[in-house]
Amino acid sequence: MKLSTVVTALPKVASCRRNPCSNSSYTSAINRRSKLGVSTPLLKVLSALTFLALPVACVHAANTAESTSAKKTVTSKEYRYDQPYIGAEQSAVKDKSDQVSEHANGKETPPAPSQANAVSTLSISNTLPIRSKQAARVEQHANTTKSSSDIVISSVNEFWIYDSWVRLQQDLDYDGYFSTFSVEFDADTIFIDAPVYAVLYLGQNGVYDAIYVSSEFFIFGEDSSDSFVIESTLVSGFPSYDYDILLELYDAQTEQLVAFSDGYDNAEFAFVPLESETNEYIVEETVVFVEEHGGTLNWAALLFIIASLSLRCVSVKHPLKK
């Protein structure tokens, strides 16, 4: 009996040696099933969270795709003294300010000229170099990216931005994000007058993209009536986001950065809700009118149903005897 037991046990041992992975695979399958059974509630929770996160991920992906693929397009206008600004105005302004400063012996700040006077005294020969400078400035600054650490001012206490304002003007779909906005700023200087120009940026997380280079214009000492306005419309390439605004002021004679303003010194420049016009979807409300008609037929049908139920209840309680 012992011998037979040994003999019958040998094939099993041999089979185990021939298939060393059979028992381990069976055990791993059992463990896998048990693990799956234990982690099923966790998998359900993760699946639910993933399903809930899909809309947010889709919106983020759409915004990312738009910001990377779509070309950033901006249209801008300039205003001064509540009128559209003509870029070559500064030539006449300079001549007029020189005459006023000579009469005042440098003791008084020349008044800001009107738009009509500026245009009437302007000559074509003065506009040519100005236009060439403007083209060079646009080529230098437009479509450039700048971080906060790259801002270095060359002058000290010679120019400054006294105040600046932001107006949000167009939100077609009423979602709180605007596609048209304007920046008005009052720049001052220690000089009687000085030619300057501005560069406007929009940024995220300390990285700014230049969207507009202004024309050359004059500022007059600390005059509060020489503010300048840049109105911009984001046409495409700007997803819905709370952007930061950066405004730089350059000396038009030396081409050096002399002053700037951002969200740290002006709260209106921080977290400005903007988006491009391609994101302005107009939602039309649809009103549905439902008319109900009633008559004696409906009441008759209701009485018929009540009578039928009453007869059925009576027949159930008192069945007919055969």
Side-chain angles (χ1 to χ4, degrees), residues 37-179:
V38 173
S39 60
T40 298
L42 179 60
L43 291 175
K44 290 181 178 179
V45 173
L46 293 176
S47 301
L49 293 176
T50 304
F51 179 76
L52 293 175
L54 281 177
V56 178
C58 291
V59 172
H60 178 70
N63 292 340
T64 304
E66 180 181 359
S67 60
T68 54
S69 62
K71 181 180 179 181
K72 294 183 178 180
T73 307
V74 182
T75 59
S76 299
K77 301 178 182 178
E78 300 175 345
Y79 296 91
R80 199 173 195 190
Y81 313 124
D82 298 328
Q83 296 181 9
Y85 181 73
I86 298 177
E89 175 189 318
Q90 67 280 348
S91 297
V93 173
K94 184 67 168 62
D95 296 337
K96 190 176 182 64
S97 62
D98 289 341
Q99 295 175 3
V100 175
S101 60
E102 289 177 0
H103 290 292
N105 294 325
K107 296 181 180 180
E108 296 180 6
T109 301
S114 63
Q115 185 77 8
N117 293 335
V119 175
S120 62
T121 58
L122 181 62
S123 61
I124 299 177
S125 60
N126 291 332
T127 64
L128 294 178
I130 295 171
R131 290 177 181 175
S132 60
K133 288 182 180 179
Q134 177 67 14
R137 290 163 182 164
V138 171
E139 184 178 358
Q140 177 183 357
H141 296 286
N143 300 323
T144 59
T145 302
K146 175 177 292 189
S147 62
S148 301
S149 58
D150 297 333
I151 303 175
V152 179
I153 299 178
S154 60
S155 65
V156 180
N157 299 328
E158 293 182 351
F159 297 84
W160 64 93
I161 298 176
Y162 177 76
D163 202 356
S164 53
W165 310 269
V166 177
R167 295 190 189 95
L168 303 176
Q169 300 176 355
Q170 179 173 284
D171 181 16
L172 299 178
D173 54 1
Y174 303 102
D175 62 348
Y177 291 91
F178 294 77
S179 57

Side-chain angles (χ1 to χ4, degrees), residues 117-319:
N117 293 335
V119 175
S120 62
T121 58
L122 181 62
S123 61
I124 299 177
S125 60
N126 291 332
T127 64
L128 294 178
I130 295 171
R131 290 177 181 175
S132 60
K133 288 182 180 179
Q134 177 67 14
R137 290 163 182 164
V138 171
E139 184 178 358
Q140 177 183 357
H141 296 286
N143 300 323
T144 59
T145 302
K146 175 177 292 189
S147 62
S148 301
S149 58
D150 297 333
I151 303 175
V152 179
I153 299 178
S154 60
S155 65
V156 180
N157 299 328
E158 293 182 351
F159 297 84
W160 64 93
I161 298 176
Y162 177 76
D163 202 356
S164 53
W165 310 269
V166 177
R167 295 190 189 95
L168 303 176
Q169 300 176 355
Q170 179 173 284
D171 181 16
L172 299 178
D173 54 1
Y174 303 102
D175 62 348
Y177 291 91
F178 294 77
S179 57
T180 300
F181 69 102
S182 63
V183 175
E184 181 177 0
F185 58 96
D186 177 20
D188 293 334
T189 180
I190 62 174
F191 305 108
I192 297 176
D193 56 71
V196 295
Y197 68 93
V199 181
L200 185 63
Y201 297 81
L202 284 183
Q204 304 178 25
N205 303 322
V207 179
Y208 301 91
D209 295 324
I211 62 172
Y212 186 69
V213 180
S214 76
S215 302
E216 183 178 323
F217 61 96
F218 269 80
I219 57 176
F220 305 96
E222 299 183 18
D223 190 359
S224 60
S225 64
D226 59 351
S227 62
F228 198 83
V229 181
I230 301 174
E231 180 184 293
S232 300
T233 298
L234 308 180
V235 179
S236 62
F238 293 88
S240 304
Y241 193 79
D242 294 334
Y243 291 89
D244 296 327
I245 296 177
L246 170 64
L247 179 68
E248 292 183 337
L249 189 71
Y250 286 83
D251 187 344
Q253 295 178 337
T254 63
E255 300 294 332
Q256 298 295 322
L257 176 64
V258 293
F260 75 95
S261 180
D262 58 6
Y264 290 99
D265 57 2
N266 184 5
E268 293 192 18
F269 280 6
F271 305 108
V272 183
L274 299 173
E275 65 181 0
S276 57
E277 282 186 330
T278 54
N279 290 340
E280 294 277 12
Y281 301 104
I282 302 176
V283 179
E284 297 181 357
E285 296 183 357
T286 304
V287 180
V288 179
F289 294 94
V290 179
E291 297 183 359
E292 297 182 356
H293 299 277
T296 57
L297 181 62
N298 292 335
W299 287 104
L302 182 61
L303 290 175
F304 176 77
I305 294 173
I306 294 174
S308 300
L309 292 176
S310 300
L311 291 176
R312 182 174 180 79
C313 291
V314 172
S315 63
V316 170
K317 290 182 179 180
H318 304 284

